[in-house]
Amino acid sequence: MHVEMRMLRALVMVEAHGSIGGAAQALAFSPAAVSAHLRALEKACGTPLVERTGSGTRLTSAGRRAVPIARLILVAAQELQRLETSAQSVRGTPGPPGRRPAGDVRATARHDTPGSTGSAASTRNRGTSQEQC
């Protein structure tokens, strides 16, 4: 499954604002872009995460389960960025002024077979903003 950070942000913002338009405004994206991110996330997850209603957008039960996970991933990615920034300043080699550190987070996770007690996850720095779950 291929999941990008912007897809997760779109889901979290739709939950927070209750509509694609509100999420788009908060993210400085067009509503069409937010909808596209949601569709891509739904395709990656293999299940609908939101229901479009006349009065806005409502999360499905899968969407309600996905939002806390998305938040954790987004927070973890921010912490990894902070760690990278901290490591660069300790080494005395910060990136160019006004730029964020190069590389975003790619995470890969595997669900173990039923009855097993654990799952495996790994992260690595990449030049694109992607996550795989």
Side-chain angles (χ1 to χ4, degrees), residues 40-96:
L41 183 58
E42 289 173 330
K43 182 178 178 184
C45 292
T47 189
L49 301 173
V50 297
E51 296 174 320
R52 282 105 175 138
T53 66
S55 61
T57 306
R58 181 174 56 205
L59 295 177
T60 64
S61 61
R64 288 189 299 275
R65 289 191 315 267
V67 166
I69 296 165
R71 284 188 183 127
L72 286 172
I73 293 168
L74 292 168
V75 167
Q78 284 180 325
E79 290 303 314
L80 287 171
Q81 289 285 342
R82 285 188 192 118
L83 181 64
E84 180 183 16
T85 301
S86 175
Q88 286 176 346
S89 66
V90 166
R91 287 191 312 256
T93 57

Side-chain angles (χ1 to χ4, degrees), residues 4-28:
E4 296 180 5
M5 296 293 218
R6 61 182 158 228
M7 296 175 193
L8 299 176
R9 284 186 194 100
L11 179 65
V12 169
M13 288 293 113
V14 165
E15 189 267 340
H17 295 278
S19 71
I20 290 173
Q25 191 171 26
L27 292 167

